[in-house]
Amino acid sequence: QVQLVESGGGLVKPGGSLRLSCAASGFTFSDYYMTWIRQAPGKGLEWVSYISSSGSTIYYSDSVKGRFTISRDNAKNSLYLQMNSLRAEDTAVYYCARDRRDGYNRLDYWGQGTLVTVSS
Amino acid sequence: EIVLTQSPGTLSLSPGERATLSCRASQSVSSSYLAWYQQKPGQAPRLLIYASSNRATGIPDRFSGSGSGTDFTLTISRLEPEDFAVYYCQQYGSSPPMCTFGQGTKLEIK
């Protein structure tokens, strides 16, 4: 069965960096786009970034552009999010999701999330 | 950037009743790229509906989606206790090719 497991969250000071990972299993990872979504405490969902199956196409939300970098290692079935220059407003649960695009785009499987807290 | 506005913010209904949730886009959205998700407290979101009206795998047929252009609707025909949750609509844009979510509708027990 499809499984996505995020890791790497934690407490970091403003201006600091953190690298999130998402380990995928149960499907052919290299066939799928992947997406990061975040949810601030008590708030709604916010799309962060996606990466194409080969890694050649990447997009970011305006709120993280220039600070966050999405990447993937298809040999390791892993997705990453390098987060630099972190701000208090980046505090959120970060989810990775499989981004299925077969003419009907949707996020069909989600991980359980990892909490990132940016505070001094 | 396309903005999705969901209404109402909170919907109070009883089990057995019909729920109608709305998602309005600031400009036309492709029906192929409009999805709905359910999120319960402490859990990750779950895909319910994709391409405006297609139920995801394992989703009961009391859930249905409809709409086109700028107006989309999620309907739950007869509410079960486990349906009380927060629901989000989501779209994939083409220019720019970014995703956006609505702010969510909380469905609570009356």
Side-chain angles (χ1 to χ4, degrees), chain B:
Chain B
E1 178 184 331
I2 296 176
V3 175
L4 299 178
T5 302
Q6 293 185 240
S7 61
T10 301
L11 185 58
S12 300
L13 294 170
S14 301
E17 291 193 292
R18 181 185 186 90
T20 302
L21 287 67
S22 173
C23 176
R24 180 161 291 177
S26 58
Q27 55 187 281
S28 186
V29 170
S30 169
S31 296
S32 297
Y33 299 158
L34 192 288
W36 290 90
Y37 302 85
Q38 177 194 64
Q39 187 178 32
K40 296 179 181 179
Q43 296 185 16
R46 175 175 73 144
L47 175 67
L48 293 177
I49 300 286
Y50 66 96
S52 181
S53 61
N54 293 276
R55 274 187 302 276
T57 304
I59 301 303
D61 61 7
R62 64 180 181 273
F63 290 91
S64 63
S66 63
S68 63
T70 60
D71 289 299
F72 298 87
T73 301
L74 174 69
T75 301
I76 310 171
S77 59
R78 283 181 58 86
L79 285 166
E80 298 287 343
E82 61 267 27
D83 298 337
F84 292 91
V86 180
Y87 292 84
Y88 296 94
C89 58
Q90 179 232 358
Q91 69 85 32
Y92 288 78
S94 57
S95 183
M98 296 163 55
C99 302
T100 52
F101 287 92
Q103 83 279 16
T105 289
K106 181 179 181 181
L107 179 56
E108 63 177 24
I109 299 176
K110 187 174 183 179

Side-chain angles (χ1 to χ4, degrees), chain A residues 37 39 43-47 50 59-62 95 99 101 103-108 110-112, chain B residues 1 32-35 37 39 43-47 50-51 88 90 92 97-103:
Chain A
I37 306 100
Q39 186 170 36
K43 302 297 184 182
L45 301 172
E46 180 188 9
W47 171 77
Y50 69 69
Y59 281 97
Y60 300 97
S61 67
D62 289 343
Y95 297 100
D99 190 339
R101 302 192 182 204
Y104 305 121
N105 296 2
R106 68 273 199 196
L107 302 170
D108 62 350
W110 297 59
Q112 84 290 348
Chain B
E1 178 184 331
S32 297
Y33 299 158
L34 192 288
Y37 302 85
Q39 187 178 32
Q43 296 185 16
R46 175 175 73 144
L47 175 67
Y50 66 96
Y88 296 94
Q90 179 232 358
Y92 288 78
M98 296 163 55
C99 302
T100 52
F101 287 92
Q103 83 279 16

Side-chain angles (χ1 to χ4, degrees), chain A residues 28-108:
Chain A
T28 305
F29 181 72
S30 58
D31 284 349
Y32 290 87
Y33 278 56
M34 295 294 294
T35 290
W36 287 101
I37 306 100
R38 68 184 181 183
Q39 186 170 36
K43 302 297 184 182
L45 301 172
E46 180 188 9
W47 171 77
V48 172
S49 178
Y50 69 69
I51 185 169
S52 63
S53 53
S54 67
S56 60
T57 300
I58 287 172
Y59 281 97
Y60 300 97
S61 67
D62 289 343
S63 61
V64 307
K65 196 178 302 180
R67 300 186 299 123
F68 290 11
T69 302
I70 191 173
S71 63
R72 64 190 297 159
D73 185 335
N74 286 343
K76 294 184 177 180
N77 291 338
S78 292
L79 173 72
Y80 306 103
L81 187 68
Q82 177 67 42
M83 303 186 296
N84 298 332
S85 303
L86 283 162
R87 306 166 180 166
E89 55 265 36
D90 296 318
T91 294
V93 173
Y94 284 74
Y95 297 100
C96 66
R98 191 176 82 168
D99 190 339
R100 186 164 182 172
R101 302 192 182 204
D102 53 7
Y104 305 121
N105 296 2
R106 68 273 199 196
L107 302 170
D108 62 350

